[in-house]
Amino acid sequence: MAMKSLDPRVSRLGIADEAPTLVPKEVLDQFETYEAFVQTKDTKPFEHVGPVHAPNEEMAFLFAKEQYSRRGMFCNALCVVKTENIYSSDFTDDGLDVYDTLEAAPSGQETERFEIFHLMKRGKQHKYAGDVMAKDYEDALVAAKPHYQGAKPVFNVWICKSEHILTSDEEDRDIWNTLKDKKYRDAIDYRAQDK
């Protein structure tokens, strides 16, 4: 029996009254999601540039290199981390700092290294702030407060274990030096009009 509606366009669709039976997706039906971070210069922190979908960490690194470091930006280093391995704090608003919402004290149990990324402005990307030693993600957030809370409010914090990050090495820098000064990007260097 088709769904009855006052709108004739809906009636013509022949939508059944009962919802269709949902079939769960198969395991590994889709690629996993990874977050990519790029460092444009030695003196600048890693900054989140976007996600990639890949079957494993190594392919995520290659996809991120092709997607985010080839055109429009100079890349000094690149790292990827599986999205499910990133802990995200609550978002704050109206100039309220995430660290000001914390009431707990650090546990003092420094068993693992965690990397801290800050969102300093809405509409921008998370930037690397530093690392801390802690027992878990929540403890890492509390432990980061005395080290990385500044004058400007932090609206969101991403935390991941250092062991979950795949980072380019010093010898990987050659993969971005395809041509000197990357002049192939500028149309004027082709001088197509001169011919």
Side-chain angles (χ1 to χ4, degrees), residues 156-170:
N156 182 252
V157 178
W158 280 0
I159 302 170
C160 62
K161 293 180 181 180
S162 300
E163 67 187 44
H164 292 156
I165 298 177
L166 177 62
T167 306
S168 57
D169 295 325
E170 184 67 31

Side-chain angles (χ1 to χ4, degrees), residues 16-187:
D17 284 337
E18 297 88 30
T21 305
L22 297 177
V23 179
K25 290 190 173 190
E26 295 179 29
V27 178
L28 298 177
D29 179 50
Q30 301 174 11
F31 285 154
E32 297 172 309
T33 304
Y34 293 80
E35 302 299 331
F37 298 84
V38 167
Q39 181 186 42
T40 55
K41 293 182 183 176
D42 280 329
T43 56
K44 295 210 173 191
F46 278 90
E47 184 172 349
H48 180 248
V49 287
V52 292
H53 301 279
N56 57 48
E57 192 175 49
E58 290 79 18
M59 288 302 294
F61 183 88
L62 290 174
F63 291 164
K65 174 197 169 283
E66 292 300 313
Q67 181 71 25
Y68 299 113
S69 72
R70 288 190 55 192
R71 292 182 173 46
M73 90 164 45
F74 179 75
C75 187
N76 185 59
L78 174 74
C79 68
V80 294
V81 60
K82 194 185 291 189
T83 305
E84 69 181 29
N85 291 333
I86 296 176
Y87 168 85
S88 180
S89 72
D90 292 332
F91 280 87
T92 60
D93 214 348
D94 297 329
L96 179 63
D97 193 315
V98 166
Y99 292 118
D100 289 336
T101 65
L102 303 176
E103 296 177 9
S107 69
Q109 298 178 20
E110 300 177 346
T111 56
E112 294 184 87
R113 182 173 303 280
F114 293 85
E115 308 298 330
I116 310 295
F117 296 86
H118 285 170
L119 178 67
M120 303 298 290
K121 188 173 181 182
R122 294 288 188 143
K124 296 294 182 180
Q125 299 288 352
H126 287 77
K127 288 187 180 179
Y128 181 71
D131 60 64
V132 294
M133 295 293 291
K135 68 174 186 169
D136 57 25
Y137 292 103
E138 290 83 4
D139 191 41
L141 180 61
V142 175
K145 180 177 180 176
H147 299 289
Y148 305 117
Q149 184 178 29
K152 293 183 179 179
V154 178
F155 294 113
N156 182 252
V157 178
W158 280 0
I159 302 170
C160 62
K161 293 180 181 180
S162 300
E163 67 187 44
H164 292 156
I165 298 177
L166 177 62
T167 306
S168 57
D169 295 325
E170 184 67 31
E171 52 271 2
D172 290 333
R173 287 192 181 191
D174 286 343
I175 64 177
W176 289 287
N177 294 329
T178 53
L179 290 176
K180 186 177 179 183
D181 299 326
K182 297 194 175 186
K183 295 214 177 235
Y184 63 93
R185 293 181 178 160
D186 300 326

